[in-house]
């Protein structure tokens, strides 16, 4: 689909398959825009067709009409811009995918700085973009890898729904203790809070549904470890860490869930790929996130393979 940013406006050329569809149907049904945002866009006259404000959102559009949406408006960042190293893996007018390092929170808690969101705000500021920092999902403080941010409100709403419908695919790798005999499988165990520890989670019959798919990539003998690739079907707090520990194969370095710090000072867990269908262009986006140095050193140090 042909889309183009023109100043504050996004211009969409109506494709053949949208011929006869109304503005209302595109915004509500195709893009699933939230009612509050769409009402605001209507009241502020932020929707045009062929350069003219069109109050009849139910009128049909035709092939090659130009639907124009004023999406790129100035907003407060929501967090303080702060210069921090930032590895941008993918960026366009609508979304940003960055590589979160270990030891960094995704967003501020209790107004603390030094987070990925602060770094993204600074990146936006340096590029002349004034928009709210919208993270679509999070990673634990000591988990590395890809995190998706939206660059305007409609992109944020669409990406949030895509995540909820499992249309944003995230692939992780982890080094675990022990030799995992099962080549592939799924862990379907509910996860809830551990009432004996403020930050731990645990497998609990009264918890929330959690499903993790895994595939064993490699086994190492000295010390006995496994390299596992994982995909989430749900996104519970600490889900991979809890599930692997429950399976009897805690992640190396994950002291909260039974792992030992052997060659790495944090959990050896990395989000190595993010893939999705672009919400506006319909292109397939697949972004590989390189393994960080500490995980590469861990792999190199485990030299005796089975």
């Amino acid at each position: 689909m042909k889309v183009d940013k023109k100043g504050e406006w996004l211009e969409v050329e109506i494709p053949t398959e949208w011929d006869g569809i109304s503005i209302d149907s595109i915004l509500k049904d195709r893009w699933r825009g939230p009612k509050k945002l769409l009402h605001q866009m209507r009241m502020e006259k932020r929707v045009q067709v062929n350069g003219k404000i069109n109050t009849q959102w139910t009128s049909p559009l035709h092939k090659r009409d130009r639907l124009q949406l004023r999406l790129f408006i100035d907003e407060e960042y929501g967090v303080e811009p702060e210069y921090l190293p930032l590895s941008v893996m993918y960026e366009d007018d609508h979304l940003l995918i960055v590589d979160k390092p270990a030891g960094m929170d995704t967003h501020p808690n209790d107004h603390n700085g030094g987070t990925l969101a602060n770094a993204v705000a600074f990146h936006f500021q340096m590029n002349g973009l004034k928009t709210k920092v919208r993270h679509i999902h999070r990673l634990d403080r000591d988990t590395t890898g890809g995190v998706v941010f939206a660059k305007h409100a409609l992109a944020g709403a669409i990406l949030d729904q895509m995540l909820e419908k499992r249309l944003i695919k995230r692939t992780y790798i982890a080094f675990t203790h022990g030799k995992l005999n099962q080549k592939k499988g799924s862990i379907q165990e509910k996860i809830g809070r551990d009432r004996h520890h403020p930050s731990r989670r645990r497998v609990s019959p009264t918890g929330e549904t959690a499903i993790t798919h895994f595939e064993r990539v490699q086994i190492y003998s000295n010390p006995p470890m496994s390299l596992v690739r994982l995909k989430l079907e749900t996104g519970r707090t600490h889900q991979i860490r809890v599930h692997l520990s429950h399976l009897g194969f805690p992640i190396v370095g994950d002291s909260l869930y039974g792992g030992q710090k052997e060659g790495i000072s944090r959990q050896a867990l990395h989000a190595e790929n993010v893939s999705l269908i672009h919400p506006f262009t319909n292109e397939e986006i697949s972004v590989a996130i390189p393994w960080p140095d500490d995980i590469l050193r861990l792999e190199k140090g485990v030299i005796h393979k089975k």
Side-chain angles (χ1 to χ4, degrees):
M1 186 159 58
K2 187 177 178 181
V3 298
D4 191 19
K5 181 177 184 291
K6 296 186 175 181
E8 292 186 333
W9 295 81
L10 176 70
E11 183 171 284
V12 181
E13 185 177 296
I14 300 301
T16 302
E17 60 268 27
W18 284 9
D19 187 76
I21 295 177
S22 67
I23 296 172
D24 196 59
S25 180
I26 289 172
L27 294 177
K28 286 183 180 178
D29 303 328
R30 300 300 173 104
W31 284 337
R32 303 288 182 183
K35 289 182 180 179
K36 184 178 179 181
L37 175 61
L38 298 188
H39 177 73
Q40 183 180 10
M41 291 175 69
R42 189 194 293 265
M43 292 299 102
E44 295 176 359
K45 303 186 186 308
R46 288 165 52 190
V47 178
Q48 296 181 167
V49 177
N50 300 323
K52 299 178 181 178
I53 296 172
N54 189 330
T55 55
Q56 299 300 315
W57 281 32
T58 56
S59 299
L61 296 170
H62 302 289
K63 181 182 176 181
R64 294 184 182 170
D65 275 345
R66 292 173 292 116
L67 174 62
Q68 295 144 334
L69 310 171
R70 186 167 168 256
L71 299 178
F72 307 101
I73 61 175
D74 287 354
E75 300 176 296
E76 296 294 330
Y77 294 117
V79 297
E80 191 68 28
E82 184 177 351
Y83 172 71
L84 296 162
L86 186 70
S87 296
V88 175
M89 298 289 104
Y90 175 90
E91 184 172 17
D92 62 22
D93 294 327
H94 310 283
L95 60 102
L96 172 73
I97 301 176
V98 299
D99 181 7
K100 189 188 83 64
M104 177 181 279
D105 289 323
T106 301
H107 62 93
N109 295 305
D110 300 324
H111 306 289
N112 64 303
T115 74
L116 192 62
N118 296 108
V120 168
F122 187 86
H123 172 75
F124 286 168
Q125 187 179 65
M126 288 299 97
N127 286 278
L129 182 63
K130 298 178 181 178
T131 189
K132 183 179 177 181
V133 176
R134 297 174 171 90
H135 66 274
I136 302 304
H137 61 100
R138 295 174 290 180
L139 290 176
D140 296 341
R141 178 179 176 83
D142 286 326
T143 298
T144 53
V147 178
V148 180
F149 288 82
K151 295 178 70 175
H152 56 78
L154 184 58
I158 297 170
L159 289 167
D160 280 341
Q161 291 180 60
M162 289 176 65
L163 185 72
E164 185 178 340
K165 294 177 180 178
R166 308 182 189 109
L167 298 177
I168 298 177
K169 308 295 184 182
R170 294 166 288 162
T171 304
Y172 296 77
I173 59 97
F175 282 84
T176 72
H177 291 288
K179 296 181 179 181
L180 182 60
N181 292 323
Q182 190 175 349
K183 185 162 180 63
K184 61 174 58 177
S186 299
I187 309 168
Q188 302 188 38
E189 298 286 351
K190 293 181 178 180
I191 293 176
R193 289 183 176 275
D194 186 337
R195 64 179 181 274
H196 302 296
H197 194 289
S199 59
R200 274 177 59 103
R201 300 295 191 273
R202 65 184 181 90
V203 166
S204 168
T206 60
E208 295 181 293
T209 299
I211 303 172
T212 305
H213 305 292
F214 68 88
E215 179 182 3
R216 189 194 70 212
V217 178
Q218 186 61 268
I219 290 177
Y220 305 90
S221 293
N222 188 18
M225 291 184 188
S226 300
L227 171 59
V228 186
R229 184 161 282 120
L230 308 110
K231 293 185 178 181
L232 296 177
E233 195 165 316
T234 54
R236 308 305 175 201
T237 301
H238 298 178
Q239 179 173 319
I240 291 174
R241 299 165 66 187
V242 173
H243 273 173
L244 287 175
S245 179
H246 178 75
L247 202 64
F249 296 88
I251 297 175
V252 175
D254 190 0
S255 56
L256 188 62
Y257 293 103
Q260 304 299 314
K261 297 185 183 298
E262 295 182 10
I264 193 168
S265 60
R266 51 99 181 182
Q267 65 259 19
L269 178 62
H270 174 70
E272 69 168 3
N273 186 274
V274 176
S275 61
L276 68 150
I277 301 299
H278 196 286
F280 295 97
T281 68
N282 292 326
E283 295 174 291
E284 185 175 345
I285 307 295
S286 181
V287 180
I289 316 296
W291 291 11
D293 290 343
D294 58 354
I295 286 185
L296 289 171
R297 287 194 299 269
L298 176 64
E299 183 195 35
K300 187 176 180 181
V302 186
I303 58 174
H304 300 290
K305 298 181 182 180
K306 182 175 179 181

